[in-house]
């Protein structure tokens, strides 16, 4: 039960020492809240400059993606395939860990076939011209670190790492 | 994520954010504040429900939120310290007609807010007619005028 104090005729449960402490805690809390919002705007919890990541180099296969994302949100991977001389369809490899942590919402262009093995899946895409772009949109379903590899037939696989916030 | 865990996380986050915002944050609801409340409820609704729109899900969420509220009320009855951290205490801002300016700054209250409360509650015309003013635990300003004849 809160203690009631009397000042002249006025009875209150005022506690000046507590209110002084509370005000200091509130100030720290507000500073932390502003910092949180600033970091969110910069991309610590999703899309933003701190989140932009890239794997691979322009001479071969490279991927642009967001390293921070959130459960049930969507995140986009821009896959730039290596220059290919033949007109053969592209074959991309994705490690199985990706499917444990998320659902693929869509692939652009639409894959012509999908083969699943125990540790990876192979996606066959129609011909993508040099400089063309393959887009993979993923919806993460589990929080935590998501590591997976992505490769193209004839190129070394790239290791991608994301952090999925709850 | 489990609905109960979602409800607990959202409830706790809102509790901390609104405690940080201060007891006067949404005490006077202007048209814009009302819109802000609607937006906040819309944002939290998605986080609470996710993809689940079932009746069972809604009942689990409502049950969890009400249980949390009851649990905190029970804790507040048993611990003064806990009650203070959750609800704060009233704070006198005018004492015997003297404005305590340092305390006004703590709560981001100004003389205009006090005068407005004095107009509404007692039809007072001037600050000098106020003997005591307090910011209550719910954030409202309570005015106690001088007795008649002063």
């Amino acid at each position: 039960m809160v203690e009631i104090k009397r000042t002249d005729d006025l009875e209150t449960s005022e506690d000046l020492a507590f209110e002084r402490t509370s005000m200091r805690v509130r100030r720290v809390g507000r500073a932390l809240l502003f910092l949180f919002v600033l970091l969110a705007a910069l991309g610590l919890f999703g899309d933003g400059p701190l989140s932009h990541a890239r794997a691979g180099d322009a001479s071969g296969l490279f991927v642009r993606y967001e390293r921070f994302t959130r459960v049930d949100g969507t995140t986009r991977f821009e896959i730039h395939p290596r220059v290919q001389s033949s007109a053969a369809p592209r074959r991309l490899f994705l490690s199985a860990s990706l499917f444990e942590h998320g659902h693929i919402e869509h692939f652009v262009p639409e894959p012509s076939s999908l083969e699943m093995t125990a540790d990876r899946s192979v996606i066959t895409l129609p011909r993508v011209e040099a400089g063309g772009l393959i887009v993979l949109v993923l919806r993460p379903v589990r929080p935590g670190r998501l590591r997976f590899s992505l490769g193209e037939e004839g190129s070394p696989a790239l290791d991608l790492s994301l952090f999925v916030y709850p | 994520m489990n609905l109960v865990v979602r409800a607990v996380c959202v409830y706790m986050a809102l509790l901390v954010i609104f405690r940080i915002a201060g007891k006067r944050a949404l005490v006077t609801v202007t048209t814009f504040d009302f819109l802000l409340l609607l937006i906040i409820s819309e944002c939290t609704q998605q986080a609470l429900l996710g993809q689940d729109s079932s009746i069972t899900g809604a009942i689990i969420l409502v049950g969890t939120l009400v249980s949390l509220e009851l649990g905190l009320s029970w804790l507040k009855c048993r611990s003064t310290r806990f009650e203070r951290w959750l609800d704060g205490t009233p704070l006198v801002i005018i004492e015997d007609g003297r404005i305590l300016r340092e305390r006004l700054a703590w709560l981001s209250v100004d003389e205009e807010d006090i005068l407005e409360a004095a107009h509404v509650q007692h039809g007072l015309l001037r600050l000098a007619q106020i003997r005591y003013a307090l910011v209550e635990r719910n954030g409202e300003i309570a005015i106690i005028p001088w007795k008649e004849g002063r």
Side-chain angles (χ1 to χ4, degrees):
Chain A
M1 203 67 183
V2 176
E3 189 189 342
I4 305 290
K5 289 176 190 161
R6 187 174 175 141
T7 317
D8 295 332
D9 300 333
L10 181 70
E11 283 187 346
T12 68
S13 56
E14 183 186 64
D15 181 341
L16 210 51
F18 169 81
E19 281 299 325
R20 198 169 268 129
T21 310
S22 169
M23 181 264 302
R24 288 193 194 113
V25 171
R26 221 165 31 240
R27 277 187 187 161
V28 173
R30 284 176 186 179
L32 291 175
L33 188 64
F34 286 129
L35 183 66
F36 175 81
V37 172
L38 181 69
L39 289 173
L42 288 174
L44 189 65
F45 308 106
D47 188 22
L50 288 175
S51 183
H52 297 329
R54 183 184 157 137
D57 60 77
S59 61
L61 170 74
F62 78 94
V63 182
R64 283 203 181 98
Y65 66 103
E66 299 294 334
R67 61 167 68 91
F68 300 116
T69 184
R70 297 180 295 270
V71 165
D72 285 339
T74 53
T75 187
R76 180 183 150 101
F77 296 82
E78 286 183 9
I79 304 163
H80 297 261
R82 67 191 168 83
V83 177
Q84 187 175 270
S85 52
S86 72
R90 301 269 180 181
R91 280 165 65 84
L92 291 180
F93 306 99
L94 289 168
S95 57
S97 56
L98 179 70
F99 298 92
E100 289 165 13
H101 287 84
H103 298 309
I104 292 180
E105 289 282 296
H106 58 262
F107 241 112
V108 178
E110 191 81 26
S112 51
S113 74
L114 175 67
E115 300 156 40
M116 301 284 277
T117 64
D119 60 341
R120 67 179 193 176
S121 64
V122 182
I123 293 153
T124 308
L125 298 157
R127 188 182 171 192
V128 179
E129 297 289 340
L133 182 68
I134 300 165
V135 176
L136 157 64
V137 177
L138 179 79
R139 182 182 293 277
V141 292
R142 267 197 218 168
R145 185 158 291 283
L146 162 58
R147 285 196 177 96
F148 71 98
S149 51
L150 184 152
E152 188 182 6
E153 206 167 48
S155 280
L158 303 174
D159 290 320
L160 309 183
S161 174
L162 289 85
F163 187 80
V164 182
Y165 288 96
Chain B
M1 197 190 286
N2 184 300
L3 282 175
V4 175
V5 178
R6 279 174 184 264
V8 173
C9 291
V10 170
Y11 183 95
M12 292 301 169
L14 288 176
L15 189 71
V16 170
I17 290 170
F18 280 93
R19 195 72 188 93
I20 286 170
K23 60 177 100 178
R24 299 256 318 145
L26 285 173
V27 72
T28 48
V29 181
T30 62
T31 309
F32 182 73
D33 292 336
F34 180 67
L35 286 175
L36 193 65
L37 277 175
L38 289 179
I39 295 167
I40 291 170
S41 70
E42 195 67 23
C43 297
T44 48
Q45 185 202 345
Q46 287 296 316
L48 283 168
L49 289 167
Q51 308 291 321
D52 188 340
S53 56
S54 64
I55 293 173
T56 312
I59 294 169
I60 291 171
L61 281 174
V62 173
T64 309
L65 293 171
V66 172
S67 301
L68 282 167
E69 192 61 27
L70 291 172
L72 288 189
S73 299
W74 183 82
L75 281 172
K76 281 194 276 186
C77 285
R78 271 146 192 83
S79 164
T80 308
R81 202 182 173 83
F82 192 73
E83 184 180 11
R84 283 187 174 164
W85 278 109
L86 277 189
D87 294 340
T89 64
L91 191 63
V92 176
I93 50 176
I94 294 185
E95 194 173 47
D96 260 330
R98 190 167 51 91
I99 299 173
L100 305 171
R101 295 191 188 280
E102 189 196 9
R103 298 186 193 181
L104 296 188
W106 293 358
L107 298 169
S108 307
V109 172
D110 58 21
E111 291 175 15
E112 204 181 337
D113 295 323
I114 304 171
L115 202 53
E116 189 179 309
H119 292 163
V120 173
Q121 292 174 29
H122 298 280
L124 300 182
L125 303 173
R126 297 183 306 278
L127 281 172
Q129 293 173 294
I130 301 171
R131 184 176 181 197
Y132 287 106
L134 300 93
V135 176
E136 297 288 2
R137 293 189 307 173
N138 63 6
E140 288 192 1
I141 299 173
I143 303 289
I144 300 158
W146 291 98
K147 284 184 181 143
E148 292 292 323
R150 184 189 148 91

